[in-house]
Amino acid sequence: MFIPLSRPDISQREKNYVLEVLDSGHLSFGEKLRRFEEIFCTAFQSKYAVAMNSGTSALHVAVKSLGLGPGDEVITTPYSFIASSNCLLYEGVKPIFVDIEPVSLNMDIEIIEKAITAKTRGILPVHIFGHPNNMEQIMEIANKYKLRVIEDACEAIGAKWKKKNVGTIGDVGIFAFYPNKQITTGEGGILLTDSEEIYLQACSLRNQGRDLQSTWLDHTIIGYNYRMSDLQAAVGLAQMERLNDILMKREEVADRYLSLISDYQLPISIPQPLPQSTKSWFVFIILLPSFINRDLLSQNLAQKGIETKPYFPVIHLQTSYQKLFGYSPGDYPISEHISRRSLAIPFHTKLTYPEQQYVIDHLAFELERMMKSGN
Ligand SMILES: *Cc1c(COP(=O)(O)O)cnc(C)c1O
């Protein structure tokens, strides 16, 4: 028995679309890319969408399109995947971390204003694990201090703050399509914006600095090759057409876990989205009691074929960040505390009920054994 942490949901439609691209001869900037971007504009009522070869590329382009650079500061969370803060460093922008609140695991809205200085130019909220940030308050703060807002919605496609889709509320929003995300293109990301200026800048940056109007060998700024191929867009288009089904299936699987966990009365807690929000299920995270040795638990589960991962190590304590900024343990205590206790367990649409029972059964057994033996 091996139960992987994640697995993409690929149907015949994805395969057909990829074959169509191969048969068409248009493997880049073809019809599928155009339709992939279009379906985002329609589904999320966004004026513009620019697909790229990764979520990280799209975040980088977002930072650069807003004209942020050396000397600027952007407020963000240390409890995230490292890309949400690396994209600032690429442009010489300094990430200013704000600790999280321990239930939704997003930036603590109450302390954001305290982090604002004369150099602050933006806020980069991450909708961690598909939990929406309080976007109303973030936009209020941004308006008050004239800050730009980049939403890292890479883990939150389909999630909503009140009635609004995350990723469409700030100046710019990013979704990502690595195979463990809700929907995938293998590798990929997309930038959404209502600003024509950001849109044009993003199109140029992803395509070697070419203007939309310019000829293929005319480069007006220094850009990158961040293009998404039509093979990837074909997979993504099929995934987007099935988005609601996929999100519903994920919710069903999550609900089955939740009821198993409550049946077993496990001594764990589950992070919760803010009440005014609708979450999108990205990974299934459990928070362990502090007396459980998480790494040992993870090893024991691995021996039973159950894959788990400690999501997320905090960004400020990564070696690269400690070297650059001199951070040390204790700087963002809530993030660090949560980070030491959080564990992702297998979660994807193909997970069967017997497999989930197997996971929770072994989790219950190991927790009990570790509690009795004091690890
Ligand atoms: C997945 C992810 C990204 C983007 O990752 P890529 O692998 O570059 O697509 C960015 N931020 C967060 C929070 C993510 O989870």
Side-chain angles (χ1 to χ4, degrees):
M1 177 91 100
F2 175 67
I3 307 181
L5 197 59
S6 72
R7 204 180 141 184
D9 186 317
I10 301 296
S11 73
Q12 191 57 43
R13 188 185 299 218
E14 282 78 353
K15 298 175 193 171
N16 293 344
Y17 284 5
V18 169
L19 285 177
E20 282 174 30
V21 171
L22 290 170
D23 288 337
S24 78
H26 285 278
L27 273 50
S28 183
F29 274 136
E31 187 230 354
K32 289 291 190 285
L33 182 73
R34 188 180 55 72
R35 285 177 57 195
F36 182 56
E37 293 178 339
E38 234 170 58
I39 199 172
F40 271 89
C41 293
T42 317
F44 298 116
Q45 290 101 46
S46 177
K47 273 202 190 138
Y48 306 104
V50 185
M52 281 174 252
N53 60 1
S54 76
T56 307
S57 307
L59 281 165
H60 178 201
V61 163
V63 171
K64 206 168 164 84
S65 298
L66 288 173
L68 303 175
D72 295 337
E73 293 179 354
V74 167
I75 293 171
T76 190
T77 170
Y79 186 72
S80 170
F81 179 59
I82 197 160
S84 63
S85 137
N86 278 354
C87 65
L88 299 168
L89 298 187
Y90 299 156
E91 291 304 312
V93 178
K94 187 169 185 207
I96 301 295
F97 294 123
V98 158
D99 210 352
I100 58 171
E101 133 309 270
V103 181
S104 79
L105 313 187
N106 282 320
M107 271 190 294
D108 186 344
I109 210 97
E110 304 304 329
I111 52 179
I112 289 181
E113 276 191 82
K114 292 195 192 110
I116 295 177
T117 70
K119 293 179 178 170
T120 310
R121 297 277 314 278
I123 308 177
L124 195 157
V126 179
H127 305 293
I128 200 77
F129 304 142
H131 294 174
N133 282 266
N134 181 337
M135 285 310 292
E136 231 166 337
Q137 267 183 277
I138 286 179
M139 294 314 288
E140 253 173 51
I141 297 168
N143 289 335
K144 184 168 160 194
Y145 295 92
K146 305 217 175 338
L147 308 176
R148 311 307 294 267
V149 174
I150 300 172
E151 283 180 82
D152 180 339
C154 289
E155 302 182 357
I157 191 166
K160 291 182 173 143
W161 173 257
K162 295 197 173 162
K163 294 218 152 55
K164 285 202 106 178
N165 278 289
V166 301
T168 66
I169 306 168
D171 293 284
V172 39
I174 312 297
F175 296 118
F177 312 117
Y178 188 72
N180 73 336
K181 307 278 168 143
Q182 288 90 329
I183 63 168
T184 186
T185 58
E187 294 281 358
I190 201 164
L191 175 155
L192 301 189
T193 185
D194 282 343
S195 150
E196 187 183 19
E197 194 189 347
I198 294 172
Y199 167 69
L200 292 174
Q201 194 68 12
C203 287
S204 179
L205 285 169
R206 91 166 148 185
N207 190 24
Q208 307 281 18
R210 296 176 176 103
D211 284 347
L212 277 186
Q213 304 87 341
S214 74
T215 62
W216 196 248
L217 292 176
D218 187 14
H219 308 272
T220 50
I221 56 171
I222 303 296
Y224 306 90
N225 179 356
Y226 282 172
R227 295 185 300 265
M228 171 184 276
S229 80
D230 265 54
L231 294 165
Q232 294 164 297
V235 176
L237 177 62
Q239 293 261 290
M240 269 303 279
E241 289 173 353
R242 300 172 50 237
L243 178 65
N244 288 337
D245 279 350
I246 291 175
L247 292 180
M248 261 163 53
K249 267 199 234 162
R250 293 178 81 87
E251 204 170 320
E252 276 167 32
V253 174
D255 285 343
R256 293 201 305 242
Y257 262 146
L258 291 173
S259 64
L260 280 167
I261 287 168
S262 95
D263 289 350
Y264 277 76
Q265 300 190 312
L266 295 185
I268 59 176
S269 60
I270 309 293
Q272 298 294 329
L274 294 171
Q276 303 95 315
S277 69
T278 312
K279 82 173 277 187
S280 166
W281 281 94
F282 166 52
V283 283
F284 197 95
I285 298 293
I286 59 174
L287 296 176
L288 299 164
S290 13
F291 52 86
I292 291 290
N293 180 335
R294 180 187 56 184
D295 296 342
L296 186 61
L297 173 67
S298 181
Q299 277 169 31
N300 292 348
L301 291 172
Q303 280 175 4
K304 305 289 178 207
I306 301 168
E307 191 181 22
T308 59
K309 252 201 193 123
Y311 274 11
F312 277 106
V314 284
I315 296 175
H316 64 282
L317 297 183
Q318 295 285 349
T319 310
S320 49
Y321 279 71
Q322 291 205 41
K323 275 192 196 153
L324 272 172
F325 300 107
Y327 289 119
S328 46
D331 285 345
Y332 301 97
I334 301 173
S335 300
E336 291 167 36
H337 177 69
I338 295 290
S339 168
R340 277 192 299 269
R341 296 171 55 211
S342 48
L343 191 69
I345 63 173
F347 182 65
H348 53 83
T349 55
K350 314 256 171 186
L351 206 57
T352 64
Y353 188 60
E355 284 173 327
Q356 291 187 275
Q357 279 178 314
Y358 179 87
V359 170
I360 298 301
D361 225 33
H362 280 286
L363 181 61
F365 176 80
E366 292 296 336
L367 285 174
E368 179 145 337
R369 200 169 58 108
M370 291 173 91
M371 281 191 296
K372 276 195 187 131
S373 71
N375 281 324

